[in-house]
Amino acid sequence: MLERKDIVEEIKVIVFSLVDEEYGVEVAQVRSIEKMQNITRVPRTPDFVIGVINLRGVVTPVIDLKTRFSLGQADYTESTRIIIVAVEDMEVGLIVDAANDVIDIPINSIEQPPAVVGGIKASYLRGVAKLDGRLLVMLNLDKVLSNEEIQAMSAMER
């Protein structure tokens, strides 16, 4: 019989790639994963805000995570995906190179992030998970956008 201390808490995570790194975001925050589609530009937005898409009748702002994290120019391929996530009370699309997997991660395998990981500020990060010889950078979606940016994107939905 398992004792309470033997039970390891896990979180379910969507694994995606940007450049040559793997990142994760909790499944609970993901609404859907979409193929690239036509994005309508919106004037006077930050450079990482690519525009908006009409997703099943809902206007959804889309940001490019490579641009947001200063990881270089985005090249869209057949494997490029838009991960629709819930941030605060709105949905936002995140353009990623590929959405690779859904995995369970033991919470005790997630360590605090160093001050900067691959050029990404630690405030964007929840931590780094060590899994069978690979590192998975866990994003803190609530910090990827500032409150002002969330308010500006919320106005795009209307």
Side-chain angles (χ1 to χ4, degrees):
M1 182 170 211
L2 284 177
E3 293 183 31
R4 184 80 178 133
K5 66 179 182 174
D6 295 330
I7 298 173
V8 177
E9 283 191 56
E10 294 182 327
I11 57 171
K12 196 169 282 298
V13 172
I14 301 275
V15 178
F16 63 90
S17 59
L18 286 174
V19 190
D20 294 324
E21 302 294 327
E22 287 188 307
Y23 296 83
V25 61
E26 284 190 57
V27 166
Q29 291 184 284
V30 176
R31 298 295 178 250
S32 65
I33 300 174
E34 309 291 332
K35 288 186 174 187
M36 269 308 279
Q37 53 191 278
N38 188 35
I39 298 173
T40 303
R41 303 270 321 152
V42 177
R44 295 193 312 257
T45 57
D47 61 343
F48 62 86
V49 178
I50 304 304
V52 294
I53 58 174
N54 182 346
L55 189 61
R56 294 179 279 284
V58 177
V59 175
T60 304
V62 177
I63 69 172
D64 190 310
L65 281 185
K66 275 189 195 174
T67 305
R68 178 62 171 157
F69 295 156
S70 301
L71 296 175
Q73 189 64 30
D75 292 320
Y76 304 138
T77 67
E78 194 62 33
S79 61
T80 301
R81 295 290 180 263
I82 302 174
I83 300 177
I84 307 299
V85 297
V87 178
E88 305 243 332
D89 289 331
M90 64 181 288
E91 290 186 357
V92 176
L94 307 175
I95 298 177
V96 300
D97 290 340
N100 305 328
D101 211 353
V102 178
I103 60 173
D104 292 315
I105 297 178
I107 291 195
N108 61 6
S109 72
I110 301 173
E111 297 182 4
Q112 289 296 314
V116 175
V117 174
I120 299 174
K121 293 179 194 168
S123 63
Y124 296 162
L125 307 179
R126 175 178 174 183
V128 178
K130 293 181 183 178
L131 305 167
D132 301 324
R134 72 194 241 215
L135 292 177
L136 183 66
V137 179
M138 299 293 299
L139 288 187
N140 181 348
L141 290 181
D142 296 329
K143 300 292 183 184
V144 169
L145 297 171
S146 70
N147 287 335
E148 296 80 25
E149 292 164 340
I150 289 170
Q151 289 172 358
M153 292 184 120
S154 183
M156 287 183 196
E157 290 185 310
R158 295 186 192 119

